[in-house]
Amino acid sequence: MRNSIAHGWHVAARTALLQFGATLVVSLVVAGFGWRSALAALTGGFIVSAGNVLFALRLFGRGIAPPRSVLRSAWAAEALKWFWLCATLYLAIAVWKLPFAGLIAGLLAAQFAFWIALIATR
């Protein structure tokens, strides 16, 4: 059944693996500009990938639940993901002072991989 929780977990795991893989490839390409840029690309991709993993854990972690509860879980999962994104981007930019171009390259690679994974798992 395509709308089962097991299918959701499968899609989430596959998406996260694709995101981590795309992040690794981009960080290797960006490594030509220096190790800090490669680290920034890895960090940017990890931020997006981990945010989506947190979303999936919060959404599917409770198992089968009533529709209202699932809707609340979806809202809570999205809020958790946005909190994670804002907090870690703040750390990466303001505290760790990672190179912005590498950080954005990793973010974009993970986000494009997310969209590709969603299209591929239809």
Side-chain angles (χ1 to χ4, degrees), residues 70-89:
V70 172
L71 182 61
R72 280 194 298 265
S73 289
W75 283 102
E78 192 64 30
L80 176 65
K81 183 173 78 171
W82 274 99
F83 176 77
W84 165 261
L85 180 73
C86 292
T88 53
L89 280 177

Side-chain angles (χ1 to χ4, degrees), residues 33-61:
F33 296 102
W35 70 270
R36 285 190 44 85
S37 293
L39 178 65
L42 271 175
T43 302
F46 176 78
I47 287 170
V48 173
S49 303
N52 287 324
V53 169
L54 286 172
F55 180 89
L57 287 171
R58 179 64 177 100
L59 182 62
F60 300 121

Side-chain angles (χ1 to χ4, degrees), residues 5-6 22 25 39 52 64 69 73 81 86 97 108:
I5 293 173
V25 168
L39 178 65
N52 287 324
I64 297 173
S69 179
S73 289
K81 183 173 78 171
C86 292
K97 297 184 184 347
L108 289 176

Side-chain angles (χ1 to χ4, degrees), residues 83-109:
F83 176 77
W84 165 261
L85 180 73
C86 292
T88 53
L89 280 177
Y90 171 78
L91 288 172
I93 295 168
V95 177
W96 300 325
K97 297 184 184 347
L98 293 175
F100 190 70
L103 186 66
I104 293 300
L107 284 165
L108 289 176

